[in-house]
Amino acid sequence: MSFSWKMNGKQKKITGGVVAILLIAMAFRVVTERAFLAQASIAGAFMTLTPEESDGTVTLTGRYLPPPYGFAKEKLISYFGEQIGLQVDGDIREVSYEGRVEYVYEREAAEAHSVVKVVYLTEMKEYYLCAEITLWGKHAVSVAEFREVMLGAARKTGLEEVSTTLELCGIYSGEIPLSKKDELTNHLLKELYAQPVYENRENTEYTVYAYTGAEEEYIVVEKKKINVQVAIYYDRGRNQTEVVLASPIGLR
């Protein structure tokens, strides 16, 4: 025995209306989420914290393909420095290590430390340009803006395989209890609309890796995307706790 059921005209209209409402709700949710993601940022999330001290570091690395007629490392460093607003007016030192030679320009200011260098890998015969900018105090979060400036400079310089790292660190007196670490971490992840991927929420080695659509760059670990890291360290010697928010992962 078989049964068949057909909707009448009124039922079809009601069903169609429900489907339309659900589609509109889904579309509104997607648009809203995208709007919030567009406003979320590492710097914005960090600014919601209240550390006693703070610093920020941005790094950039890109492969440089020299022209057939060769190039001057000093001119490359000076040109890149000019593009990011760094005046290269001091000595560029040459340092040799096993497997590589570095041409380094370093500059220290009141609340900033800058390094631009060309790295030559002797065995692979490849050149890389690396830059690192660190800012302290109230200007720490400005390194997020520096990342965009450095990416623009990398394009003008013709760098390939470019990658960046952004790290913001807040310092608190004393040792933060585990409950406070969870509170700070959950707050930062919420601000970034980030979902945890790997978590190690222990007092001694507190690190959470997550992914958010608010950040373009990411790395892939075991087929999972990661572009946010929250790490909390306690320095017993200084009796202070460091809360680090980094993308895609920190420098430590």
Side-chain angles (χ1 to χ4, degrees):
M1 182 181 294
S2 62
F3 296 90
S4 62
W5 179 72
K6 294 183 179 180
M7 292 187 293
N8 57 37
K10 185 177 181 180
Q11 289 172 326
K12 286 181 179 180
K13 287 182 179 180
I14 294 173
T15 302
V18 171
V19 171
I21 291 171
L22 290 174
L23 289 173
I24 292 171
M26 289 175 62
F28 178 77
R29 180 181 176 183
V30 170
V31 171
T32 303
E33 286 180 350
R34 287 180 178 176
F36 281 125
L37 285 174
Q39 295 178 2
S41 69
I42 294 292
F46 185 80
M47 288 177 67
T48 63
L49 301 182
T50 55
E52 295 159 30
E53 299 177 41
S54 59
D55 63 72
T57 300
V58 59
T59 67
L60 179 143
T61 300
R63 185 182 176 190
Y64 180 71
L65 300 177
Y69 50 81
F71 74 105
K73 291 83 175 177
E74 296 80 6
K75 288 186 177 180
L76 177 60
I77 291 174
S78 295
Y79 178 78
F80 186 86
E82 179 185 334
Q83 297 304 311
I84 64 172
L86 175 66
Q87 185 177 356
V88 179
D89 54 6
D91 294 333
I92 295 175
R93 68 180 190 274
E94 180 179 330
V95 187
S96 296
Y97 301 93
E98 184 178 353
R100 75 182 193 274
V101 180
E102 296 186 359
Y103 305 87
V104 186
Y105 175 74
E106 193 168 0
R107 184 166 184 171
E108 190 86 30
E111 293 185 329
H113 179 252
S114 307
V115 179
V116 179
K117 61 184 178 181
V118 172
V119 179
Y120 176 60
L121 303 181
T122 54
E123 293 185 6
M124 301 175 66
K125 296 182 178 179
E126 293 180 346
Y127 288 94
Y128 288 84
L129 189 142
C130 308
E132 179 178 292
I133 307 293
T134 300
L135 302 178
W136 291 279
K138 62 182 180 181
H139 301 297
V141 294
S142 297
V143 294
E145 299 173 11
F146 255 103
R147 179 166 61 172
E148 299 306 314
V149 173
M150 291 166 73
L151 285 169
R155 288 190 290 270
K156 292 180 180 179
T157 309
L159 300 184
E160 299 185 354
E161 303 170 21
V162 176
S163 62
T164 64
T165 295
L166 176 64
E167 180 180 288
L168 294 166
C169 175
I171 298 174
Y172 298 80
S173 297
E175 183 175 10
I176 293 177
L178 185 59
S179 59
K180 183 64 174 179
K181 293 179 182 179
D182 286 335
E183 180 184 331
L184 289 171
T185 299
N186 293 338
H187 171 75
L188 290 171
L189 296 180
K190 182 179 179 181
E191 287 290 318
L192 286 165
Y193 302 91
Q195 296 298 318
V197 179
Y198 298 103
E199 299 180 88
N200 184 11
R201 296 190 182 227
E202 297 180 4
N203 252 328
T204 53
E205 307 220 350
Y206 194 103
T207 305
V208 175
Y209 298 97
Y211 176 78
T212 175
E215 288 289 315
E216 292 184 6
E217 288 194 38
Y218 61 85
I219 62 174
V220 178
V221 178
E222 297 180 351
K223 298 182 179 180
K224 296 180 180 180
K225 295 179 181 179
I226 294 173
N227 59 5
V228 172
Q229 179 190 13
V230 180
I232 303 178
Y233 309 92
Y234 173 62
D235 187 328
R236 190 172 299 277
R238 298 181 178 179
N239 189 29
Q240 62 185 28
T241 301
E242 297 182 359
V243 178
V244 177
L245 175 62
S247 178
I249 59 174
L251 306 169
R252 334 179 174 206

